[in-house]
Amino acid sequence: MNNEQIEAYLSYGYTPFRKVQCVERIIGAWVASAVLLVIGERSVAWAVPLGLCCLLITALFAALTARHSKERLSRYLCDGVFSLYLALLLDLAAYRITVLQSGVSLLRAAGFVGLLLLSIAAWGLLVRKNIKSGRYSEAAKPQKVGAWAYIGGALGVLAAPVLLAGRDGLTIASVGLIFVSLLLSAGSLNLQRALLDIKTQRREPG
């Protein structure tokens, strides 16, 4: 990938950073984490890690809004971290629903998280391929990656009741959450943008 291709990707669909969005996402992270804890048995083993994650997100977003609000990198970090955390919460919510049915299983939990990581890796490889092919440099041809993510996720949610015919509502809800989690994982690619932005800044002379 050359600098022109990377810059085209970084600029593609970019909108200026807004402080209010980070504030809203701080609140959203805390609320979503609290909702996850409501599912199933209350446990300190779940509450403490989620609380620490929310504190880290709060600290990061507060720093971005206070000191780096004019930087493009702030936008990518805010979007990427929030999308990744929300996708992870939905993934864990799907797991906690299965616990209500089948009990605790570390192997199942690892499988859920692994599926999310594979989804992120697949999107990352696809975007990298598109950067090299110059897709983001072609203004006349809008990128279809985001559209296909939404279409795939929507079809997955709609297909879940059919594929799981005869299963109970909890199973359908769990599968639906997984599909939505995979859909939202596309937003975590903003972290890839953040890394590329940092690399391009280091390459700039002076």
Side-chain angles (χ1 to χ4, degrees):
M1 296 185 294
N2 57 46
N3 289 342
E4 290 184 0
Q5 291 172 329
I6 293 175
E7 183 59 34
Y9 171 58
L10 294 177
S11 301
Y12 186 86
Y14 175 76
T15 55
F17 181 77
R18 293 173 55 200
K19 294 182 179 181
V20 67
Q21 288 180 321
C22 263
V23 175
E24 291 172 350
R25 289 171 180 179
I26 289 173
I27 297 172
W30 282 98
V31 172
S33 298
V35 171
L36 176 60
L37 293 176
V38 172
I39 301 174
E41 182 181 356
R42 279 51 165 185
S43 171
V44 175
W46 281 85
V48 171
L50 290 177
L52 289 175
C53 286
C54 286
L55 287 174
L56 290 174
I57 290 174
T58 300
L60 172 62
F61 286 9
L64 293 178
T65 56
R67 299 182 180 180
H68 308 283
S69 61
K70 295 183 180 181
E71 298 178 13
R72 184 171 60 179
L73 179 63
S74 296
R75 177 79 197 197
Y76 300 147
L77 287 175
C78 185
D79 289 351
V81 170
F82 183 73
S83 296
L84 178 61
Y85 187 62
L86 195 58
L88 179 61
L89 288 181
L90 290 171
D91 200 51
L92 294 176
Y95 166 72
R96 283 176 70 87
I97 288 176
T98 66
V99 170
L100 298 175
Q101 298 173 298
S102 310
V104 175
S105 171
L106 294 179
L107 183 61
R108 193 189 322 127
F112 278 32
V113 175
L115 183 62
L116 177 61
L117 294 177
L118 284 175
S119 174
I120 294 172
W123 283 119
L125 290 174
L126 179 59
V127 168
R128 188 177 181 85
K129 179 181 178 182
N130 286 339
I131 294 174
K132 289 183 177 181
S133 64
R135 290 284 185 87
Y136 298 101
S137 302
E138 300 174 9
K141 297 181 179 180
Q143 184 56 248
K144 301 294 184 181
V145 172
W148 282 114
Y150 283 101
I151 291 172
L155 289 177
V157 174
L158 292 174
V162 177
L163 296 174
L164 298 173
R167 303 293 183 90
D168 58 39
L170 288 178
T171 301
I172 295 175
S174 179
V175 172
L177 287 172
I178 291 174
F179 275 110
V180 177
S181 172
L182 298 181
L183 181 150
L184 289 177
S185 69
S188 65
L189 294 181
N190 280 288
L191 294 177
Q192 183 185 42
R193 281 187 167 185
L195 291 175
L196 291 174
D197 190 43
I198 292 173
K199 287 182 179 180
T200 55
Q201 289 180 16
R202 288 180 177 176
R203 290 176 185 173
E204 291 177 357

